[in-house]
Amino acid sequence: MRTRRYRGGRRCSGGNGGERWKDRGTLLSQQKITALIAVGGTLLMMISPQSSLASARKAVVLWLFTVLPSMLPFFICTDLLMRSGMHIRLGNLFERPFRKLFGVPGVAGFAYISSILSGYPTGAKILGELCEKGQIRRQDVRDILTFCSTSGPLFILGAVGSGMLQSAGAGYIMLAAHYAGSLLTGLFLIRRSALRRAMSAATGGGIRSDASGGGSFLFSGSTADATAKKRTEKKSVPELLSESIVSSFQSLIVIGGYIVLFMILTDAAKNLFAQISGQNGFAGDLLTGCLEMTVGCSGVSGSAVPFAWKIAACTFLISFGGLSIAAQSMSVLRNSGVSLAFFLRFKLIHGLLSSVCACTIMKILSDCRGTAVSVFEPADLSAKTA
């Protein structure tokens, strides 16, 4: 495929001049957002240094005692699998079902399972590394990411379900709705993207596929295995393990920085909303949850609203992830071509679909148990679903 290098060093395929202006507009938007966060964070720390210090300490404790021990082993193992080339062999097992269901390479199965097991932002990290190594295309990254950006079961069942909502049944409802919403989001957006590419190709839009006739590809098994073998032949197991550990720590340190920053912004936004409205209400908890989902879920669980509303709201926040998860994911996606606007858009769809799934599950459970309770009525479902 013909490529052309524009100023700034970014390679654009197909020679489409419109992409150049689109990239410049995206870069300009990112610079504005970065400047806004920097100026806003500086002003907050100057106006209320004590509150900012307390928020930063809380974030560091969260990262050191929760995020680091829970995510580091998964990051090391997945990175080691990718460096050894095993992800390609595992991807071959999922090639046929994921091709038929989503029209994406089988490596999506490896990314999806890893994302489910270890949560945010493992799926994004794997896809970013695969794109950086040239093993999947940018369009593949966008398509696969739509259903491979999920939270882990331990957080949903343990932290939010049993911990915050004090209901194991609520945790299972949110878990099922969260993963169902991710698959529905992937099916909807990928089919829509495939239809748009087909229409563009039919009208001479110039979106070209690879030589094998498919728009998405993963290197063939023999070629990929040979490439992985050649990369690992020159390195010993301790060397590969050391590189995986260093890479995992680097990613987690960046994630820790985002947690600290957004914890400060979230606490400040929550305090500001409380001062303006005069109370810490459900709307304020949803607002803070759109910045940092853990803080939002904690606030929603303690709000004075029907229990079913709490489940639906927490499901939305977990699936949307908030700006903190978006920033963490974008930091590990590297030069994959995924924009922040696209990420927030599909995560918003994921959140809405998941909350609808949660309400549907609660309605089905309510009808099956012979009760006349609607999921939108102020009834405590914890005893019924626990």
Side-chain angles (χ1 to χ4, degrees), residues 153-176 307 311 361 365 369 380-386:
L154 290 178
F155 175 77
I156 299 175
L157 296 176
V160 182
S162 298
M164 298 178 187
L165 294 175
Q166 297 182 349
S167 170
Y172 286 111
I173 291 174
M174 293 185 293
L175 186 74
F307 192 76
I311 296 177
I361 293 172
L365 290 176
R369 294 181 182 231
D380 187 359
L381 301 182
S382 58
K384 302 181 178 62
T385 58

Side-chain angles (χ1 to χ4, degrees), residues 120 177-178 181-182 185 312-321 344-358:
Y120 297 119
H178 177 65
S182 70
T185 303
C314 288
T315 304
F316 170 79
L317 293 177
I318 292 170
S319 300
F320 178 61
L344 291 175
R345 186 166 61 250
F346 89 77
K347 289 303 292 179
L348 179 61
I349 295 174
H350 183 192
L352 293 174
L353 288 176
S354 296
S355 60
V356 170
C357 288

Side-chain angles (χ1 to χ4, degrees), residues 18-42:
E19 292 293 328
R20 178 182 181 182
W21 299 107
K22 184 178 179 180
D23 291 343
R24 286 183 175 179
T26 302
L27 180 62
L28 220 63
S29 300
Q30 291 177 349
Q31 290 175 343
K32 291 179 180 179
I33 294 173
T34 303
L36 181 63
I37 292 175
V39 173
T42 303

Side-chain angles (χ1 to χ4, degrees), residues 16-177:
N16 187 359
E19 292 293 328
R20 178 182 181 182
W21 299 107
K22 184 178 179 180
D23 291 343
R24 286 183 175 179
T26 302
L27 180 62
L28 220 63
S29 300
Q30 291 177 349
Q31 290 175 343
K32 291 179 180 179
I33 294 173
T34 303
L36 181 63
I37 292 175
V39 173
T42 303
L43 290 176
L44 281 175
M45 287 184 286
M46 291 177 62
I47 295 173
S48 56
Q50 293 295 333
S51 176
S52 299
L53 182 61
S55 300
R57 285 175 177 169
K58 184 169 61 174
V60 170
V61 170
L62 174 67
W63 178 83
L64 184 60
F65 294 102
T66 303
V67 176
L68 184 64
S70 63
M71 297 188 67
L72 182 60
F74 284 102
F75 271 32
I76 293 175
C77 291
T78 54
D79 190 88
L80 190 60
L81 282 173
M82 295 180 64
R83 291 180 186 274
S84 64
M86 283 299 296
H87 67 288
I88 296 174
R89 298 183 182 180
L90 293 173
N92 291 335
L93 299 175
F94 299 99
E95 183 70 20
R96 182 172 296 180
F98 275 82
R99 281 286 185 186
K100 288 186 177 180
L101 188 61
F102 296 103
V104 295
V107 74
F110 171 71
Y112 183 66
I113 292 176
S114 300
S115 179
I116 288 178
L117 290 177
S118 54
Y120 297 119
T122 304
K125 182 177 183 293
I126 291 173
L127 294 175
E129 292 178 354
L130 288 174
C131 183
E132 190 176 24
K133 294 175 181 177
Q135 294 181 357
I136 55 175
R137 296 187 177 186
R138 288 186 171 185
Q139 184 58 45
D140 291 333
V141 176
R142 287 168 59 93
D143 289 344
I144 299 172
L145 188 64
T146 56
F147 62 93
C148 286
S149 177
T150 62
S151 181
L154 290 178
F155 175 77
I156 299 175
L157 296 176
V160 182
S162 298
M164 298 178 187
L165 294 175
Q166 297 182 349
S167 170
Y172 286 111
I173 291 174
M174 293 185 293
L175 186 74

Side-chain angles (χ1 to χ4, degrees), residues 270-315:
K270 192 171 184 178
N271 294 334
L272 180 62
F273 185 86
Q275 291 177 1
I276 294 175
S277 63
Q279 59 180 355
N280 291 320
F282 181 71
D285 295 323
L286 281 177
L287 176 63
T288 55
C290 289
L291 292 175
E292 214 290 316
M293 67 172 181
T294 307
V295 178
C297 288
S298 178
V300 165
S301 64
S303 59
V305 295
F307 192 76
W309 288 29
K310 296 180 183 181
I311 296 177
C314 288
T315 304

